[in-house]
Amino acid sequence: MKLIHVNEPIHSSKVTLRQARLISKIKPDAILFEWPASEHSTLKVYNKYKPRDKPDYRIKRWKASMKVSSKTYPWFKTFHKVIEAIENLWKAGWQVYLYEIDAPVELTGIRYKGLKKKETMMIWCYLREVFMIKNIRTIESAFKRRKKNAKILLLCANFHWNNIQFLLKRPSKREIWEH
């Protein structure tokens, strides 16, 4: 499995457009989103359909929800391009699996309740990244059985990517603390 990351110094519409171009170019087997994971995942539902059988009404609803979300998160203004890139691959018969890998919304949503201190923010990010690692490893094991040379595209901020790479090496507690 090859884990590919798109350079994302900050969340922005420009980065989102770059992500869409990269999706079209590399044709990933799966895309992992820095979005809260839940039992009622909105993205995993697409994984049960064959590429050309993805439900149009769900795709339209996804695009509409991104338009609404763009009022809070401005980088979603161009996210419809990412969805269209995925949609084009599906229409061409390419199976692209989608996954949310972030921590549950109960943890990710805490940020907006006022994490002020740098140390508190670091702990919050670490906890989220522990969830991301767990989800990546689960997806990785599924793809080892499904497709050995799978290309997995990870869409997340660079600071998460740096920590994810570190945690994927299975560091000791001491190494984590020093990191």
Side-chain angles (χ1 to χ4, degrees):
M1 180 180 100
K2 184 175 181 181
L3 196 56
I4 303 164
H5 175 257
V6 180
N7 185 33
E8 188 173 345
I10 58 166
H11 295 306
S12 72
S13 292
K14 189 176 178 180
V15 170
T16 304
L17 292 172
R18 191 175 335 119
Q19 291 170 340
R21 285 191 301 273
L22 190 59
I23 289 167
S24 298
K25 182 180 175 181
I26 69 166
K27 298 178 180 163
D29 298 293
I31 302 174
L32 313 182
F33 294 88
E34 179 193 330
W35 293 355
S38 72
E39 288 181 27
H40 310 292
S41 168
T42 54
L43 297 181
K44 286 183 195 170
V45 73
Y46 295 106
N47 297 346
K48 65 182 176 182
Y49 297 97
K50 291 182 180 176
R52 291 188 177 101
D53 296 337
K54 307 293 182 185
D56 285 336
Y57 75 95
R58 284 190 181 274
I59 296 169
K60 287 176 186 171
R61 204 164 53 191
W62 186 16
K63 288 178 185 176
S65 74
M66 293 295 102
K67 190 173 183 176
V68 170
S69 294
S70 72
K71 291 176 176 110
T72 307
Y73 308 105
W75 56 92
F76 283 149
K77 284 180 184 162
T78 54
F79 199 81
H80 64 280
K81 295 289 188 183
V82 168
I83 299 169
E84 288 167 5
I86 295 166
E87 197 175 8
N88 289 337
L89 290 176
W90 286 337
K91 287 177 182 175
W94 190 263
Q95 182 65 288
V96 181
Y97 294 93
L98 307 177
Y99 301 94
E100 296 108 333
I101 63 161
D102 210 330
V105 74
E106 293 84 4
L107 178 59
T108 59
I110 291 174
R111 178 175 185 214
Y112 301 102
K113 293 180 183 171
L115 294 178
K116 301 276 190 230
K117 291 186 176 183
K118 183 180 177 185
E119 295 82 8
T120 309
M121 190 65 121
M122 287 171 50
I123 293 167
W124 177 72
C125 284
Y126 171 75
L127 291 173
R128 289 179 58 198
E129 290 154 359
V130 167
F131 277 95
M132 291 181 202
I133 291 298
K134 179 181 174 245
N135 290 325
I136 289 169
R137 286 197 174 122
T138 301
I139 294 162
E140 182 180 44
S141 69
F143 271 90
K144 280 183 181 174
R145 289 180 301 240
R146 192 179 294 146
K147 187 175 181 181
K148 286 199 184 247
N149 298 324
K151 291 181 277 187
I152 311 295
L153 186 62
L154 176 58
L155 305 180
C156 71
N158 286 354
F159 71 89
H160 284 308
W161 172 240
N162 294 333
N163 293 331
I164 287 169
Q165 287 179 299
F166 172 72
L167 292 172
L168 281 171
K169 295 175 184 171
R170 300 183 188 271
S172 67
K173 289 178 186 177
R174 180 181 173 92
E175 290 170 318
I176 290 170
W177 185 256
E178 289 173 1
H179 180 75

